[in-house]
Amino acid sequence: MERRTRILITVVIVLILLGYLVYSTVGGSFLYYRTVSEIKMDESLHGKPVRVIGKVVKGSFEEKEGGYRFKIFDGKEEILVLYKGILPSTFKEDAEVIAEGIYERDVGIRAKNLLARCPSKYITK
């Protein structure tokens, strides 16, 4: 085998291994977020990890059985979010949140991560 061919094969193998390493490391973070309406309309998302954005519905927040449950709303649809963990400091009713977790059609979203956005902190002066 020619030296140039061996170098080319080695480079291709190294690139494939690097691609696999990068994908396996950050693969889960490639999820982009969807609206509540998009989640409810797409039957294929049942049982799969999702990232959903919406506003916390006023009066829907409850602390129950060591966790939290509340609804988020996108202006058209609302969905229940179940979350066990530490709430972000900017979490409050009517705040925009991003819930990451598994979508279950009959339950809602079993969130593993919760991000709360505070619009007043990001407005330019």
Side-chain angles (χ1 to χ4, degrees), residues 21-31:
L21 182 65
V22 168
Y23 178 76
S24 63
T25 303
V26 295
S29 64
F30 286 138
L31 278 176

Side-chain angles (χ1 to χ4, degrees), residues 40-98:
K40 286 194 157 188
M41 286 178 21
D42 192 346
E43 292 290 322
S44 68
L45 294 175
H46 175 66
K48 294 186 177 171
V50 294
R51 184 177 287 170
V52 187
I53 188 167
K55 284 190 168 189
V56 178
V57 175
K58 290 181 181 175
S60 69
F61 180 79
E62 294 178 57
E63 188 173 350
K64 205 171 193 178
E65 299 169 7
Y68 306 99
R69 52 186 297 148
F70 55 93
K71 292 180 181 176
I72 58 173
F73 183 70
D74 70 351
K76 296 177 188 170
E77 300 270 350
E78 62 183 39
I79 194 167
L80 181 67
V81 177
L82 305 173
Y83 176 68
K84 288 185 177 180
I86 299 170
L87 289 174
S89 61
T90 54
F91 181 88
K92 61 183 179 181
E93 291 187 340
D94 206 33
E96 196 168 59
V97 296
I98 298 172

Side-chain angles (χ1 to χ4, degrees), residues 32-43 45 74 77:
Y32 62 92
Y33 58 77
R34 300 170 189 247
T35 65
V36 175
S37 300
E38 290 172 337
I39 296 292
K40 286 194 157 188
M41 286 178 21
D42 192 346
E43 292 290 322
L45 294 175
D74 70 351
E77 300 270 350

